[in-house]
Structure formats: structure tokens, C-alpha cells
Amino acid sequence: MARVLIADDEESMRALVARAIAMDGHMVATAEDGAEALEIISREDGAFDLLLTDIKMPIMDGIALALTVARDYPDVTILLMTGFADQRERATGLDAIVFDVVTKPFSVAEIRAAAARALASRKSGA
């Protein structure tokens, strides 16, 4: 069972992703934006296996969050989500720190599969 932190400013999306990830038996924590997510991950001293974050959020966006988490907690696997093509382009070049970018809208099966792939990459060292 993995520990997953989900950051998304849309409550309905956050709840959907949290339910989807919990279906696979993972422990889930949620945050409304990047700043809250950083506060949670810092308080837990990086004790998460996966950070699943939206790119476009107020206060601190997902890319700033990913850069900070990758620097401070390099063992956390990062998976980005976005519904905006321009935001997806902003993630180009982050391959060294981000496992993948999942395009919204997605199905429960798609987000579960993306999370499973990201978590599997941790075990294989990919």
C-alpha cells in the first residue's frame, strides 16, 4: 500500500482522484493547492510514495510544487495532471523529475492505471 498526496484546486476532481486511488488500497491525503500540498509533504518529511498534482492551481502551481518536491524529497514519484494544452507544454523538459502528465478529463480507470504505472516505476527503479 502506497501513500499518495493529491493536490487539485477543484474539489470535485480532488474527490474523484482520491476515491479512485483509494480503490487500490492506497492511503490518500489531499490538498487544495500547491502551497497546502508542500506544507503536508514537509510536515510528513516527504513520507509519500506518489505526488499527484494538477498543474494549474492558485497560490503555488503544480510545476513549482514538483520542482520543490523533487529537490527536497527526491524519492517521491511525481505525476502531473492538466486539462490545458499550454500547461502540458510547460511540463515539457521536466522528464527528469516528473514521471508523466495525465490529460484531463480522464476516467477512473485511466487515473488508477497512471498511478499504478508511476508506483511500479519506483519498484523497478525506472
Side-chain angles (χ1 to χ4, degrees):
M1 171 170 45
R3 291 191 74 204
V4 180
L5 177 58
I6 299 162
D8 197 308
D9 59 318
E10 292 181 47
E11 196 280 328
S12 59
M13 181 59 67
R14 200 170 51 248
L16 172 81
V17 175
R19 280 194 310 272
I21 301 303
M23 288 171 75
D24 291 322
H26 303 305
M27 292 177 47
V28 175
T30 61
E32 293 182 16
D33 58 57
E36 183 183 7
L38 186 57
E39 186 179 298
I40 291 168
I41 206 163
S42 297
R43 185 174 59 233
E44 298 284 331
D45 198 28
F48 287 92
D49 301 296
L50 178 64
L51 169 62
L52 187 50
T53 181
D54 190 20
I55 294 177
K56 191 171 184 176
M57 296 184 292
I59 304 175
M60 175 185 245
D61 73 13
I63 290 179
L65 174 62
L67 290 167
T68 304
V69 169
R71 181 194 68 210
D72 297 345
Y73 307 104
D75 291 338
V76 177
T77 300
I78 301 168
L79 192 58
L80 299 176
M81 306 178 284
T82 190
F84 300 94
D86 62 326
Q87 297 300 316
R88 187 175 180 89
E89 285 183 25
R90 284 185 57 218
T92 304
L94 297 178
D95 295 345
I97 65 165
V98 173
F99 177 77
D100 199 4
V101 181
V102 181
T103 303
K104 295 177 182 178
F106 45 71
S107 69
V108 167
E110 289 168 335
I111 196 63
R112 288 174 69 195
R117 285 192 305 273
L119 289 166
S121 76
R122 294 173 53 84
K123 295 182 181 108
S124 68

